[in-house]
Amino acid sequence: MHTAQTLVSRMLSRPAEQFQELEISALCEVSNILTGSYLTALAMLTGYRITASPPADACDMLGALLDGTLAIAAGNSDEVLLIESEFVLDGGALGIQLLFIPGPGGLADLFKTLGVAQ
Amino acid sequence: MNAEIRLGIGDGAVVRDPAAVLTAPGLGSCVAVMLYSETPKVGAMAHILLPTAPTEPPFSFKYADTAVAMLLKQFEKAGADPRRAAIKLAGGAQMFKVAANGPLNIGRRNLEVISAVFQELRLRITAQDVGGSVGRTVTLTMSTGRTVVRVAGGKEYEI
């Protein structure tokens, strides 16, 4: 939450203690841009066409936020891939984590393309 | 001293230890199914991820359609009678605002399947705290039979 406040207050050039519509929208926009460049890089690396759906926001327990996404991605498999990334602002690490969770079958395809034996 | 048993996604447990506390942490669209019998003292919990199991085994506590049957079977094996037990549900939320009726609303589909299984067996769900768009951590305390839901921000209540 602290990272979100820092980031948004910087974007809006004013304190962002309480998150209203504008603050949430700003945060979604950052994540959209970050995710967009991340996916573009991954697409170039793998040769896949990767498209992103519109951003959605939620503020809650980590496990609760992830389980629905994992359910959709994992399907009947027990494996998911999390690519963890670090973001830096003005030389200091930002507490942002980008978790990349490929959909059903996506993991095998990705590993094949990257030449990683599974 | 209470013995905490944490149940991750796809885990299930049936216990007779009166000092045990069963916890399903961070439920989003996942659903915790809880059974509790006072005499004999038996408690059960499953942390369910998806509504339906694949056609091929192994089946597990991960899937609503197989988890409830598995849990009931073990509960009975431990000496408890499901017809006299408290049956409670927690979870099944939709954390992100996507189409509420779409296939991505896993929480709701989980709840539908679980309710259907209990209804078919003519077992009444005695209490539930489900749906909405809020994450939940739920605990079942064996010594008292109390089930408590905790949400982000520290608020908690009994169901």
Side-chain angles (χ1 to χ4, degrees), chain B residues 105-147:
Chain B
N105 194 343
I106 297 217
R108 198 165 98 179
R109 286 168 56 216
N110 279 338
L111 292 168
E112 283 168 1
V113 172
I114 291 165
S115 302
V117 173
F118 280 120
Q119 196 166 19
E120 197 173 312
L121 297 168
R122 297 183 183 279
L123 292 169
R124 197 173 65 87
I125 294 163
T126 50
Q128 58 180 4
D129 180 49
V130 296
S133 57
V134 61
R136 301 170 171 91
T137 288
V138 65
T139 56
L140 166 60
T141 304
M142 286 293 289
S143 58
T144 58
R146 290 180 67 202
T147 47

Side-chain angles (χ1 to χ4, degrees), chain B residues 3-118:
Chain B
E4 196 197 18
I5 300 171
R6 285 175 80 83
L7 299 165
I9 294 172
D11 289 341
V14 175
V15 296
R16 304 175 72 165
D17 177 6
V21 177
L22 296 166
T23 301
L27 299 165
S29 61
C30 280
V31 178
V33 173
M34 294 158 282
L35 311 172
Y36 178 78
S37 151
E38 185 62 50
T39 37
K41 198 179 263 297
V42 183
M45 188 185 274
H47 186 157
I48 294 166
L49 177 71
L50 284 162
T52 44
T55 46
E56 298 288 313
F59 304 127
S60 70
F61 288 113
K62 221 165 97 177
Y63 310 102
D65 56 351
T66 50
V68 176
M70 281 170 64
L71 201 66
L72 284 167
K73 198 172 163 189
Q74 293 187 20
F75 190 66
E76 285 184 301
K77 211 171 158 187
D81 180 359
R83 284 165 302 181
R84 293 174 51 224
I87 300 175
K88 299 183 184 182
L89 308 181
Q94 185 184 25
M95 302 306 293
F96 294 98
K97 295 170 196 77
V98 288
N101 295 316
L104 296 185
N105 194 343
I106 297 217
R108 198 165 98 179
R109 286 168 56 216
N110 279 338
L111 292 168
E112 283 168 1
V113 172
I114 291 165
S115 302
V117 173
F118 280 120

Side-chain angles (χ1 to χ4, degrees), chain A residues 49-60:
Chain A
R49 201 166 66 89
I50 306 176
T51 51
S53 50
D57 70 281
C59 176
D60 212 299

Side-chain angles (χ1 to χ4, degrees), chain A residues 29-79:
Chain A
E29 194 48 36
V30 185
S31 71
N32 205 21
I33 293 165
L34 284 179
T35 314
S37 25
Y38 195 88
L39 290 180
T40 304
L42 203 63
M44 281 169 66
L45 188 69
T46 58
Y48 285 126
R49 201 166 66 89
I50 306 176
T51 51
S53 50
D57 70 281
C59 176
D60 212 299
M61 304 168 182
L62 181 63
L65 293 177
L66 283 177
D67 67 2
T69 312
L70 287 173
I72 294 162
N76 297 327
S77 132
D78 279 331
E79 292 174 338

